[in-house]
């Protein structure tokens, strides 16, 4: 089982020696960011800063900084547990015999526990303390000024809740939040995000949009906020699916939204149509600063929290960062779903160095000429994969996670006059390399073995790869200790 709340996870990590308490006073202006970045890149422990200058509550950092900790937080031993579970639910075969019927009912039974469960306010730890009016002071919450040219202090792990003004469909997203003053937050939601769409619809209707932001949520909920789900799939349904039990939620005090009952802190407010403030610059997960732009400014009317709350945040910047395990989880979890859209795919890899959206390495079981180009087009048409800038297609015998192997194939198997596809299309809002914002050039590399039907007509055909003699390799395996190596 995943952990029901953040603090129970932190206690477990501390028992295992994988959490370090920092009792010395630390400055959220640059100092915390420098500490966390060093510890993360060294593969170090989760950190709990107990004395953050200017704040009234502790700050948990680097909680998901290793694959081990994220897996533990989600109650998993490997990311394959969720991808296999999703793959099993997606299988279209009808059950055969008693065993098949039992397995089918087992799958249905597991789904019963997935939908979120509403609880009363007195059962919600996050509403033990309620602050309104002049008592609202966001400066009590530790926000980070991480990099020297950042435009201010930011909350980097606040889970933003909105709902579509017409359909009422809920969205949970993870966006950076700039603290403008004691009661105002900048909402950096990008044009491809559902919350941006909710705001646009509300503005056209001349309505204000209710927003609730949760900090220190249950780990499965925090992960689900990062997942690239289609707009009609509830993130809380997905969080319950991962957690293996229903997520408890409670009605907000001042806005018509629900939030995790076991979160640490929730801030509530309304976005007025057209109210914007300059937001940024910000040292983002791309490793570069994103420029200042106008974004909606949220006025906070209410803060609810536990009696002794803490805040969770992350540091982003030049990879590797805490984004790494979160991105790898998404890559593995969504493989079965991507295969439904593009069944040609055997496996895929989204390198962290590419920010998980700049490059996709895809392996296929090639069946016909130009199969690789067909898969490129299909991947670019698959939901948020449309933002991918580079797609490298390799044969199924290539390990897509071995970047040295992939580079060897891509650099050696490619005639760029024939095997390079160049196109234009949408790119990530944060992409700095495109010559104009929101769209730019893309490339696909066919690094598969080439067939005569694709125009490869050289004598002898495509050459064989160099491989060891199997018999000799087995002999050397047996005698390895004799060599004294």
């Amino acid at each position: 089982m995943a952990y029901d709340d953040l603090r129970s996870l932190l206690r477990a990590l501390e028992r295992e020696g994988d959490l370090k308490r920092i009792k010395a006073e630390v400055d959220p202006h640059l100092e915390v960011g420098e500490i966390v970045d060093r510890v993360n890149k060294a593969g170090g422990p989760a950190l709990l800063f107990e004395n953050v200058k200017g704040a009234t509550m502790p700050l948990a950092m680097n909680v998901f900084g290793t694959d081990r900790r994220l897996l533990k937080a989600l109650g998993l031993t490997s990311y394959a547990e969720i991808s296999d579970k999703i793959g099993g639910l997606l299988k279209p075969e009808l059950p055969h015999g008693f065993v098949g019927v039992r397995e089918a009912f087992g799958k249905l039974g597991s789904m019963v526990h997935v939908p979120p469960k509403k609880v009363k306010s007195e059962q919600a730890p996050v509403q033990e303390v309620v602050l309104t009016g002049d008592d609202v002071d966001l400066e009590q919450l530790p926000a980070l000024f991480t990099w020297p040219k950042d435009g201010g202090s930011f909350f980097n792990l606040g889970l933003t809740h909105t709902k579509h003004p017409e359909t009422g469909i809920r969205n949970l997203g993870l966006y950076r939040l700039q603290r403008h003053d004691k009661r105002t937050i900048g909402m950096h939601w990008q044009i491809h995000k559902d919350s941006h769409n909710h705001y646009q619809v509300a503005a056209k209707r001349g309505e204000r949009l209710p927003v609730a932001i949760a900090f220190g949520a249950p780990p499965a909920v925090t992960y689900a906020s990062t997942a690239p789900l289609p707009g009609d799939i509830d993130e809380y349904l997905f969080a319950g699916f991962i957690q293996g039990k229903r997520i408890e939620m409670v009605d907000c005090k001042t806005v018509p939204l629900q939030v995790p009952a076991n979160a640490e802190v929730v801030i509530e407010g309304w976005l007025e149509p057209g109210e914007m403030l300059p937001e940024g610059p910000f040292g983002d997960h791309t490793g570069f600063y994103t420029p200042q732009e106008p974004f909606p400014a949220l006025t906070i009317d209410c803060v609810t929290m536990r009696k002794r709350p803490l805040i969770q945040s992350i540091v982003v910047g030049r990879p590797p960062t805490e984004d790494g395990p979160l991105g790898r989880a998404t890559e593995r979890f969504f493989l079965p779903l991507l295969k439904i859209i593009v069944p040609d795919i055997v496996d895929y890899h989204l390198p962290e160095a590419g920010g998980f959206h700049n490059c996709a390495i895809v392996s296929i079981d090639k069946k016909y000429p130009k199969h690789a180009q067909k898969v490129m087009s299909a991947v670019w048409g698959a939901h948020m994969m449309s933002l991918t800038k580079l797609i490298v297609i390799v044969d199924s015998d290539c390990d897509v996670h071995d970047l040295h192997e992939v580079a060897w194939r891509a650099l050696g198997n490619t005639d760029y006059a024939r095997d390079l596809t160049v196109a234009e299309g949408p790119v990530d809002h944060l992409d700095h390399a495109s010559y104009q914002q929101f769209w730019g050039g893309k490339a696909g590399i066919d690094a598969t073995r080439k067939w005569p039907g694709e125009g490869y007509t050289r004598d002898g055909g495509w050459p064989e790869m160099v491989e060891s003699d199997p018999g000799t390799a087995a002999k050397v395996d047996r005698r390895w200790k004799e060599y004294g190596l």
Side-chain angles (χ1 to χ4, degrees), residues 342-348 361-376 379 391-398 400 409 446-449 451 454:
V342 191
D344 314 70
I345 291 176
V346 173
D347 199 0
Y348 81 128
I361 302 163
V362 179
S363 62
I364 64 171
D365 184 10
K366 189 171 179 176
K367 290 183 169 58
Y368 45 81
K370 297 297 180 182
H371 194 173
Q373 285 75 7
K374 182 256 190 184
V375 172
M376 292 175 198
V379 170
I391 300 175
V392 181
I393 309 291
V394 294
D395 289 300
S396 59
D397 62 351
C398 178
V400 295
R409 305 275 186 130
D446 178 1
T448 62
R449 300 176 183 89
W451 293 6
E454 296 174 298

Side-chain angles (χ1 to χ4, degrees), residues 154-194:
F154 292 81
F155 300 108
N156 295 334
L157 207 61
L159 312 188
T160 300
H161 299 70
T162 60
K163 64 180 180 180
H164 194 287
E166 296 173 345
T167 67
I169 293 177
R170 169 172 54 210
N171 182 67
L172 173 67
L174 178 61
Y175 318 108
R176 75 186 194 223
L177 306 161
Q178 184 171 350
R179 185 178 63 193
H180 291 305
D181 56 41
K182 292 182 178 182
R183 292 191 58 188
T184 311
I185 291 272
M187 309 301 299
H188 186 273
W189 43 44
Q190 302 151 33
I191 64 168
H192 304 110
K193 306 299 185 180
D194 291 320

Side-chain angles (χ1 to χ4, degrees), residues 83 223 228 326-339 342 344-351 356-357 359-364 375 379 382 384-385 388 391-396 398-403 406:
S83 57
Y223 168 71
L326 293 166
R328 284 189 287 276
T330 291
E331 176 195 284
R332 293 297 90 196
F333 291 172
F334 283 81
L335 176 59
L337 296 174
L338 186 59
K339 283 185 173 182
V342 191
D344 314 70
I345 291 176
V346 173
D347 199 0
Y348 81 128
H349 178 48
L350 307 174
F356 299 103
H357 59 259
C359 177
I361 302 163
V362 179
S363 62
I364 64 171
V375 172
V379 170
M384 295 305 289
M385 294 294 288
T388 306
I391 300 175
V392 181
I393 309 291
V394 294
D395 289 300
S396 59
C398 178
D399 181 358
V400 295
H401 306 283
D402 184 340
L403 296 184
V406 171

Side-chain angles (χ1 to χ4, degrees), residues 40 43-44 62-70 321-322 325 328:
N40 174 268
N62 203 34
V63 177
F64 304 143
T66 64
D67 291 298
R68 176 194 174 278
R69 285 201 294 276
L70 180 57
T321 65
E322 196 170 343
R328 284 189 287 276

Side-chain angles (χ1 to χ4, degrees), residues 77-89:
T77 57
S78 73
Y79 296 133
E81 288 184 48
I82 294 298
S83 57
D84 290 347
K85 189 176 178 182
I86 293 173
L89 290 172

